[in-house]
Amino acid sequence: MVRKIIVYVAVIIIIFVGILLWSYSGAIVTAPVTEKVVALTYDDGPNPPHTQNLLDMLERHSVKATFFPKGQNIEMFPESVRAIVREGHEIGNHSYSHHPMVSLSKTDMLEELVLSNRLIENLVGYEPVLFRPPYGIQGPGLKMALEELDMTSILMSSSGLDWEITDPKLIASAVVESVEPGSIVLLHDGHGDVSDPNAQDSRAASVEATDIIIKELKAQGYRFVTVGELIELPK
Ligand SMILES: [Zn+2]
């Protein structure tokens, strides 16, 4: 009896892990390159004035980044989205509502993705092909929805932990200490969850951290590319 239960539990665990691995297959975490390149990404915006301050900061350093704005914020701040693209940065999709995608049906997920794609296309003239799942959570439904739309999931291999850390120096050191050639770095210019008590906190710390990150990584010989450029680099 005990042996049967152990076998059942083992089978359930194997199936669960298998589904999880399959769900994340094809998602990009980092690029397998040896060259010192890194892609900065910013989620949950646009969020004036921090997004504009960030754009000014990136411009001063001649660095291009990738933004994954939230659909609801795109509707609120369309000019910021236009500015991001006008200044040569890349835009991806981060869903419309920022709900964890696993909590939605596949139909609802598709609606979220298509709605944000349309919002972006109407503003900048092209549909994004990159998607960052809210909270980095990806289930089988999302994998199938992304395949249907021919979109690629972009995760991250380095993070400023700027949803927890508020000191720009510490955000920067979290990134600098974890970066390797090909890293995709997660930072935020906005907030995904507006019911979060910290949602109205400033993103000034992330902007300031960006200044430190760029200076330190450039001093180490890194160059900065968009995620689209990173994944096209020869391996
Ligand atoms: Zn987010």
Side-chain angles (χ1 to χ4, degrees):
M1 184 63 188
V2 173
R3 193 174 291 174
K4 259 189 180 173
I5 292 171
I6 291 171
V7 170
Y8 284 144
V9 170
V11 168
I12 289 167
I13 289 172
I14 289 167
I15 291 172
F16 179 77
V17 171
I19 291 173
L20 199 65
L21 289 174
W22 181 79
S23 300
Y24 278 94
S25 61
I28 292 173
V29 178
T30 180
V33 295
T34 49
E35 187 190 342
K36 284 188 161 183
V37 283
V38 61
L40 298 179
T41 69
Y42 295 88
D43 285 12
D44 301 346
N47 177 31
H50 305 296
T51 300
Q52 189 54 53
N53 293 340
L54 176 61
L55 291 176
D56 295 344
M57 173 73 69
L58 293 169
E59 171 70 22
R60 277 201 287 281
H61 290 290
S62 301
V63 164
K64 303 299 179 205
T66 302
F67 289 76
F68 292 97
K70 182 171 87 161
Q72 288 165 337
N73 291 345
I74 295 171
E75 281 181 326
M76 284 165 69
F77 307 111
E79 267 318 306
S80 297
V81 176
R82 286 200 185 96
I84 289 169
V85 172
R86 198 169 49 235
E87 296 188 23
H89 304 288
E90 181 177 42
I91 287 228
N93 185 324
H94 193 41
S95 85
Y96 178 76
S97 68
H98 205 272
H99 278 108
M101 294 286 108
V102 281
S103 67
L104 304 177
S105 69
K106 190 181 149 210
T107 309
D108 288 344
M109 277 182 224
L110 278 168
E111 235 170 70
E112 287 258 350
L113 297 176
V114 169
L115 181 53
S116 261
N117 274 355
R118 295 276 172 278
L119 286 170
I120 293 169
E121 186 183 20
N122 288 341
L123 288 171
V124 306
Y126 70 85
E127 273 194 18
V129 292
L130 306 180
F131 178 74
R132 167 152 294 147
Y135 311 101
I137 303 170
Q138 186 160 319
L142 179 58
K143 178 179 168 70
M144 288 188 279
L146 290 171
E147 280 177 358
E148 225 165 277
L149 297 174
D150 211 10
M151 298 182 77
T152 303
S153 178
I154 304 298
L155 298 170
M156 68 296 293
S157 58
S158 164
S159 169
L161 307 172
D162 56 352
W163 60 92
E164 272 178 13
I165 303 175
T166 53
D167 181 337
K169 288 193 190 83
L170 296 180
I171 294 172
S173 57
V175 170
V176 171
E177 283 164 20
S178 59
V179 152
E180 293 176 341
S183 283
I184 297 173
V185 177
L186 172 66
L187 290 161
H188 295 80
D189 61 326
H191 296 273
D193 182 3
V194 287
S195 64
D196 179 336
N198 298 318
Q200 299 313 315
D201 280 359
S202 163
R203 281 299 187 201
S206 302
V207 178
E208 207 179 319
T210 294
D211 187 40
I212 305 169
I213 291 165
I214 293 173
K215 283 176 184 160
E216 292 202 8
L217 290 182
K218 275 190 173 176
Q220 289 183 25
Y222 276 90
R223 70 181 178 93
F224 294 82
V225 293
T226 63
V227 170
E229 290 167 335
L230 184 74
I231 59 185
E232 290 298 323
L233 286 174
K235 311 292 180 285

